[in-house]
Amino acid sequence: GHGTHVAGLVMLVAPDATLMPVRVLDAQGRGNVWVLAEALAWAADPDGNPSTDDGAHVINMSLGTTQPTQLLRTAVTLANCDFDDDDDEFDDPGFDDDKARCAAKRGAVVLSAAGNDASSQDVQWPAAEDVPGALAIAAHTEASTLAAFTNRGAPVRIAAPGEIIFSAFPGGRWASWSGTSMATPLAAGTAALVLARLPDPRSVLPLDIAKRLADRSGRLCGTDLRKLDAAAAVSDTTAVDPPCP
């Protein structure tokens, strides 16, 4: 039910969004970075043709691993087009299609869950990749304070609601869940709304959308982290800070 719950939260924020669900974990919630990297490549270009605009505009990853890998970093970089012709890492001809897709501004802003280990030092990957065009999302409470369970180490800059969040559950039911997995789709849905307000969603780069969500965030009580403000991000206005004790 985790994926259903997450998908329901995207639709709660952006009900007109088109979802592209991709299964990367088994029934026990286990997987590997090879499958995740393959899924990122598919989401960025489902038909494998860089001249067609069929890829995701926003990628939500309510999952993570405690181990960094160059493969996952490369997959995120390719998905959000955070590279250029001067980047030697992508000299191989195998990246030519990615270069063509990214030249046409067909990248996706990537939002990843920071993790639920209550750590002030650590963040799970891919949230910890810290590349432009990607955001690590922490969780906050209804009282605009950081949730006790959330990771908040660098590079986390922004948090979204993540405590006792209600959403869809298999079998036509509803369920409440807490975690950065719940905060991340609320941020992803906000990114989709920001893109929907643009005359041409492909007129901006993923890093522009990530920056707008961060720049138009509000105060989060008791921390230097910021609080997602969907209204301010969509309207491109200054966020209204919540009262803090």
Side-chain angles (χ1 to χ4, degrees), residues 5-33:
H5 199 274
V6 168
L9 292 174
V10 174
M11 301 309 292
L12 176 68
V13 179
D16 291 332
T18 298
L19 297 186
M20 298 169 60
V22 188
R23 183 180 293 278
V24 297
L25 305 178
D26 63 19
Q28 286 72 46
R30 296 173 303 204
N32 62 72
V33 295

Side-chain angles (χ1 to χ4, degrees), residues 47-208:
D47 68 357
N49 181 353
S51 65
T52 57
D53 189 8
D54 61 337
H57 295 191
V58 181
I59 295 176
N60 178 91
M61 289 195 286
S62 291
L63 48 74
T65 174
T66 57
Q67 296 296 323
T69 65
Q70 185 60 38
L71 174 63
L72 191 51
R73 180 176 178 83
T74 298
V76 172
T77 299
L78 291 173
N80 68 18
C81 294
D82 178 41
F83 67 96
D84 55 41
D85 291 337
D86 295 329
D87 198 329
D88 294 339
E89 183 181 353
F90 300 101
D91 279 346
D92 190 280
F95 294 112
D96 287 350
D97 282 352
D98 293 291
K99 291 178 180 178
R101 172 178 56 82
C102 291
K105 294 186 176 181
R106 291 173 183 152
V109 58
V110 178
L111 300 106
S112 305
N116 307 319
D117 301 312
S119 175
S120 61
Q121 304 295 325
D122 299 326
V123 181
Q124 67 185 14
W125 280 265
E129 296 297 352
D130 195 21
V131 296
L135 280 177
I137 307 298
H140 72 70
T141 68
E142 186 177 2
S144 295
T145 60
L146 269 178
F149 57 78
T150 188
N151 289 349
R152 70 289 304 263
V156 178
R157 291 184 294 156
I158 190 170
E163 189 173 71
I164 313 177
I165 305 298
F166 281 84
S167 184
F169 201 71
R173 294 174 293 171
W174 295 89
S176 67
W177 221 320
S178 297
T180 55
S181 283
M182 287 63 252
T184 306
L186 296 177
T190 301
L193 289 182
V194 171
L195 285 164
R197 291 290 296 270
L198 300 175
D200 177 10
R202 296 303 198 188
S203 64
V204 298
L205 298 173
L207 63 89
D208 297 322

